[in-house]
Each structure stands twice: as C-alpha cells, then as structure tokens.
Amino acid sequence: MKNVFSVVLLFLFFVSQSQQRAAGKSVSSRANPDLVKVNDSIPALIPQNINGKYGFVNQKGKVIIKPEYSNVGFFTEDCNLLNSPNPKVRKFGSAKYASVHLNGQDFRINESGTRVYQFKKSDLGPCTPEFKSQLFHAYVMNHAYGIIEDSKFENPGDYRQFTIYPQYDYLHILEGDDLKNPMIIASYKNKFGVIDINNKVVIPFEYSDIKRNFSWKLARLFEVTKDGKNYYYVDSNNIRY
C-alpha cells in the first residue's frame, strides 16, 4: 500500500512539473518579439511621422502601429485618467497605453495599436503635477549664454562662480528626473546639440533644431532635425529611431 501511495505522489509531481513547464512556454510564446528592447533606457515603441501621419515603430525601426494619426504621445501615464471619478477607466491611465488624436477625437491605444478608450471630459480627474525647482538656470552675459547654479552664484564678475561660462548662442535646460545632472540644449555657430552640466557634448552640434519638449523626461529621447522640417528621435548616444 505504501509503494502505491509513493507512486501516486511521484506521478502527481511529474504532472505538476510538466504543467509548469508548459505554462512557462505559453507565457514565452505570447511575448511579442517586435517589442524586445535594444536600449532598455528608452520605450519599446517610438512615435514616428511617416508621410504626414503619426504611428509607432519599434527600436529597430519596424512599423508596429500604422501611421494614421494627426498626433500621438509616448506610452506613458495619464494622471487625469489615473485619478478619474470613473473607476472603470482608471486602468487606461497606465503606461501600457498611449494617447493619440484622430479626426478631432482623442483616444488611448494599447501596444497592439487597438483604440481601447475614447476620452470623455466627465472621466477626467484632477491632475496636479509635482513641481521641482531647477537647481541650474541659463545666464546671459555679453549676448552669450552660460549656466549658473542658483544656490552658489552671486557675482557675475567672478568667472569661477559660473557652472558653464557664457559662450553659447543659446541654452535651454530640459526638464528631467535628475535635477543635479540635467541635459541642456545648446546652440553654437547656428547648429544645435546637447551638453551636460559639465559642458561635455552629449549630442554633437549637427542639427538645425532640437525641440524643447518633454521627450527627454518621458522617454530619454531628443527630437531633432537637420533640415528644419523632418523631425526624428535620437537617444543619448545620437542613435536615430
């Protein structure tokens, strides 16, 4: 009797292990290979303008969501939906979804490109962005831009008090999560690039413009153009997407 009981337990063990392996394979097979990241610091899906319409490509440049929208955002949280008075729509405020604009209407789409929610004013809850005061600011002297640290700067006559001594045609500190090490859009000799707070070049001065938007904060990407018309994204290694 004891031997029979042991055999039954052994059989149940193997059945359980087989089921777990099958479940693991099932989960693995459901993973979308098109969303595998090459660069973990940026989103798997990136907005792209194709012939005047916006869609999404993956990090390898493959079109995943066809370009049919007049405007799109990154796959990021929407705090108005997260705080919605309608509990049924709060899930659409998560970073699993992106906001898109089509024919005068705003929607949230999933990573497959399916429109899963249409915005309604009655669904929007209060959204109070967290304000973080910048530690650094641009400073203009003799028609040139530099950078100062507010807590340390007192005397513009002392060059040592400048974090970056005025030498650029234009500077703009991008909003980001790291206030101590912000990215800075810079213009020099009619070309745009990006520098860090140590005056090190991050993005070379080869662009006619770089947008002052939230792409760095939301996706760690810079929106750039070389001809002033066609914009695209590059990461902090100046790799195009």
Side-chain angles (χ1 to χ4, degrees):
M1 184 67 180
K2 182 182 294 184
N3 291 336
V4 172
F5 183 71
S6 298
V7 170
V8 171
L9 285 178
L10 187 62
F11 173 77
L12 291 175
F13 171 79
F14 282 115
V15 169
S16 174
Q17 291 296 307
S18 297
Q19 289 175 338
Q20 290 179 15
R21 285 195 294 270
K25 290 181 179 178
S26 176
V27 170
S28 177
S29 65
R30 287 199 300 269
N32 188 344
D34 286 330
L35 300 183
V36 173
K37 291 185 175 183
V38 177
N39 182 345
D40 284 333
S41 68
I42 67 173
L45 290 171
I46 301 166
Q48 189 171 88
N49 185 327
I50 303 174
N51 297 324
K53 296 291 185 180
Y54 288 89
F56 290 83
V57 299
N58 66 10
Q59 291 190 4
K60 294 183 178 181
K62 179 181 178 180
V63 175
I64 305 300
I65 299 175
K66 67 178 182 179
E68 60 178 325
Y69 299 103
S70 57
N71 199 10
V72 300
F74 290 101
F75 279 82
T76 57
E77 290 184 349
D78 184 302
C79 66
N80 294 115
L81 289 179
L82 288 175
N83 296 313
S84 174
N86 181 356
K88 294 183 179 179
V89 306
R90 290 174 188 164
K91 62 181 180 181
F92 299 121
S94 80
K96 293 181 179 180
Y97 305 95
S99 296
V100 298
H101 190 74
L102 178 67
N103 298 327
Q105 301 293 329
D106 293 305
F107 302 88
R108 292 285 273 180
I109 61 171
N110 61 20
E111 291 181 336
S112 298
T114 303
R115 293 189 286 275
V116 293
Y117 170 76
Q118 182 174 348
F119 278 88
K120 299 177 182 178
K121 288 185 178 180
S122 59
D123 285 341
L124 303 183
C127 181
T128 305
E130 181 183 1
F131 175 75
K132 294 182 179 180
S133 180
Q134 294 282 357
L135 302 179
F136 302 92
H137 284 91
Y139 190 94
V140 182
M141 187 172 71
N142 297 326
H143 307 291
Y145 281 74
I147 296 293
I148 62 171
E149 185 173 359
D150 291 358
S151 63
K152 298 180 180 179
F153 187 81
E154 294 180 355
N155 180 16
D158 184 354
Y159 74 92
R160 294 170 298 182
Q161 292 195 13
F162 286 92
T163 303
I164 297 177
Y165 194 77
Q167 58 194 274
Y168 292 97
D169 302 327
Y170 174 80
L171 292 176
H172 175 80
I173 298 176
L174 289 169
E175 186 172 340
D177 295 326
D178 190 350
L179 295 178
K180 294 182 179 180
N181 298 286
M183 292 291 101
I184 306 165
I185 294 176
S187 174
Y188 185 70
K189 294 183 178 180
N190 295 321
K191 289 293 184 180
F192 282 84
V194 176
I195 61 174
D196 66 14
I197 204 64
N198 298 309
N199 205 19
K200 178 183 177 181
V201 175
V202 178
I203 301 297
F205 289 83
E206 60 184 36
Y207 297 102
S208 64
D209 187 33
I210 300 178
K211 287 191 176 181
R212 292 67 144 170
N213 56 21
F214 292 104
S215 61
W216 173 252
K217 180 177 177 63
L218 297 176
R220 299 186 69 80
L221 293 168
F222 305 103
E223 193 169 4
V224 304
T225 180
K226 288 189 174 181
D227 60 10
K229 296 179 181 179
N230 299 299
Y231 283 83
Y232 53 91
Y233 292 101
V234 298
D235 64 17
S236 58
N237 294 313
N238 202 31
I239 297 174
R240 178 173 178 169
Y241 297 93

